[in-house]
Amino acid sequence: MKSMLEYIQLQQTAKTENLTAKCNGCLKESKITSYCFKCKGFLCEQCSSIHLTLNLMKEHKGSILSLTEIREQKLTMERLASLTETPRCQSHVDKPAEVCCGTCQNLPVCMVCAQFGKHKAHDIQDVGVVAEKERSSVGETMVTLEQCSDNVNQLPVRVEKVKKKLSEGISAAKKKLESQHTKLSEKIQRRLKDNDEMLKRNKKEIDDVEEQEVAELEEERKKEIEAAVKKINDKFDMLVGERRAKNQYLENVLETLHGERGGRINKGTTLVDRAYKGLDSSVDEQGNTHGEELESISNEAANRKMRYDNFRSTAYSILASKDNWTEAQCLPDISKASDSLIRESKKEFLELEPLGKVEAGDLITTVGGIVRITGEPESVVDIGGGKAKGWNVMHMRPTDSGSIVITGGVDNEHTHITVIDREGKLINTDQINQKKRDDGRFFPTCSPLSLFKVVTTCVDGTLCINDTRNRSHIRKQLSDIVSDWDDQEPVSSVFSVATDQVNNNVYIGTGSRDVFVLDDMLNYRHTLQLPQGVCQSFDMMINDDDLIIWDIWGKKACIVTREGPEAKLVCDLLKPDHMGGDWQPFRVCTDCNGFIYIFWQSKISCQLRHILTQYSPDGHNLLITKDVEDAVYGIGTVFTDGSEKLLVVTRKGKLYTYGLVMET
């Protein structure tokens, strides 16, 4: 063969059975069966037979190679050499070549051309010397190429592994998103159900109150019936009508309130679904993009391996021939082609492994941040009643009836429970005899139990259920409810209360890891023990199936489960990194969509500073940090004018109202 291309062409052609091509003899498109080295072309079966039998073609007889020999791997380099001719001199075709002209790229020439012809002044070399030189050069190239064999052979395997990893990553990401979507949807549905249940309970309470008031009026009518039947009946009818109108008004307000709350919760469902679709689409886009890039690399790897295998097979075959002329003619081309192949074989696909990863995002984080606190308060009013008397504010919680309950200290022996409206105007107030701690502080707290009833606590273990309409109350001591409670122990202080109105549970937070769970009549149900690392519950709030805990000793806020006898830590809320302060939580609340609001305080440059923070419903993301001028002793949310508001009560007796804007 004149070059390795002719040899490679034969090898590639023989691999295809029933190959159809143009016959070099009859010049027709037909099935080819052999190759004639004299004609330098392929022959069909008929022309091959003519070559073997026709006397005119007898010189071609020894130069015909059947493709079956190659296909059955019977072709050896010795057999191939017997079929080919010794190269002829380019100028004297009747003379066999005797030497190589190095100046003319190892061109075969006779001695006449080398000594007297146009190659006279050229670099004339013996073909054996040239072949040995080229053989040595290609040998070094093959050693280098063999060192790259693992890289070339392993690349397709790596690509397949990464493809599998990509597929698994897409599947895992979609499964995660589907799971998060299902859990969030279920949580929202539970909130809607709880909202409806609270509406039913509040309506029933209104009906019960109406029945009680009618009964009281009936008793009053009976006492005065003989003296002024007509007058009493008229008065009775008037009063019943007023109360029914009032209660009907309250029912209408509650219908509106819970309708607005349900609508706001439903709005969260829409946002969750929209965020889920966006993240799911992002996973698909990443999967398609990475898949296309991997497919491109896979094709390049397959192409590289095919070139590598062809090059390696050809080089080793030529070297195995031990034919000087073949090596002198072919090996320079192999050496030239090896440079680019070695560079490609050494190339590393550093960007390959990252293509097996998919960034699924986080549905909870994406939905987070949909509620924004207005920059300035919508209103600031003075709290009526206790402020003028010098009473202090320690805690606050709004109720669904529209009133706001505030607790605080009066003097060394009394605390107060004060009910105001949203304008800060006094509705009623009452004093309760209490026992202070050794440090002279009461720590009275409160939490709504129903539409008109509020649970209050004090540090000495005094628990009350107060009716905000008529100031009546049920009073008990925690030591009478919980048998192993010792109010003389240093840790035996009641610091907080939270209520689950749907399930009629009252949670009493103490100076230890014990949280006592009572029913709506202050009867003991069970004890919930906080996780290790949470020292006490200075303030707490119901958060769906969990409790938000403020631990003053640990200077942290966290979320724990409230099912079973032992609470489990869900997460620690991120401590604010603000002004270099060592912030500790002070008051906490949530809105109807589960967003968490916490007031923190810290002494900075000998001055007590205060900030308000907002967290995502799962507590993992700190969304907003806002400076506040005064110390906050109460925080909660209410619905008014068709939207949810954030109420803040300060130690100076100011009631701030902030808007909570739900972003769409």
Side-chain angles (χ1 to χ4, degrees), residues 575-593:
K575 210 170 182 180
D577 183 11
H578 186 66
M579 298 176 65
D582 183 16
W583 299 95
Q584 69 175 26
F586 195 67
R587 287 289 179 255
V588 61
C589 78
T590 61
D591 63 22
C592 72
N593 281 293

Side-chain angles (χ1 to χ4, degrees), residues 1 3 16 32 47 59 78 122 187 192 236 306 317-318 381 386 418 432 465 510 551 577 610 658:
M1 289 184 295
S3 71
T16 305
I32 61 173
C47 292
E59 292 183 1
E78 290 77 8
H122 291 185
K187 182 175 285 189
L192 288 172
F236 170 80
M306 182 182 70
S317 296
I318 292 174
V381 298
T418 299
I432 304 172
I465 297 179
T510 70
D551 180 1
D577 183 11
H610 313 274
Y658 292 90

Side-chain angles (χ1 to χ4, degrees), residues 578-612:
H578 186 66
M579 298 176 65
D582 183 16
W583 299 95
Q584 69 175 26
F586 195 67
R587 287 289 179 255
V588 61
C589 78
T590 61
D591 63 22
C592 72
N593 281 293
F595 286 85
I596 303 167
Y597 303 85
I598 299 181
F599 271 97
W600 302 74
Q601 64 182 19
S602 176
K603 185 168 286 189
I604 300 175
S605 300
C606 299
Q607 183 179 1
L608 196 60
R609 306 298 292 266
H610 313 274
I611 56 174
L612 167 64

Side-chain angles (χ1 to χ4, degrees), residues 395 437 442-447 455-463 478 482 485 491-499 506-518 526-530 534-542 547-551:
H395 207 254
R437 295 199 322 171
F442 284 117
F443 292 109
T445 60
C446 59
S447 183
V455 179
T456 60
T457 68
C458 194
V459 70
D460 66 349
T462 301
L463 312 179
L478 186 59
V482 181
W485 173 262
V491 296
S492 297
S493 298
V494 173
F495 285 138
S496 59
V497 59
T499 49
V506 179
Y507 292 80
I508 304 299
T510 70
S512 69
R513 290 170 55 208
D514 290 335
V515 174
F516 299 109
V517 185
L518 314 179
H526 66 272
T527 299
L528 176 68
Q529 189 169 68
L530 298 178
V534 182
C535 302
Q536 41 87 292
S537 47
F538 200 80
D539 195 10
M540 58 183 175
M541 189 77 182
I542 300 294
L547 273 175
I548 305 172
I549 300 292
W550 163 34
D551 180 1

Side-chain angles (χ1 to χ4, degrees), residues 126-139 319 323-324 327-328 331:
D126 180 74
V127 66
V129 174
V130 173
E132 180 60 32
K133 177 183 176 182
E134 296 297 342
R135 189 181 300 113
S136 175
S137 174
V138 171
L319 290 172
D323 182 275
N324 292 339
E327 292 173 350
L331 293 182

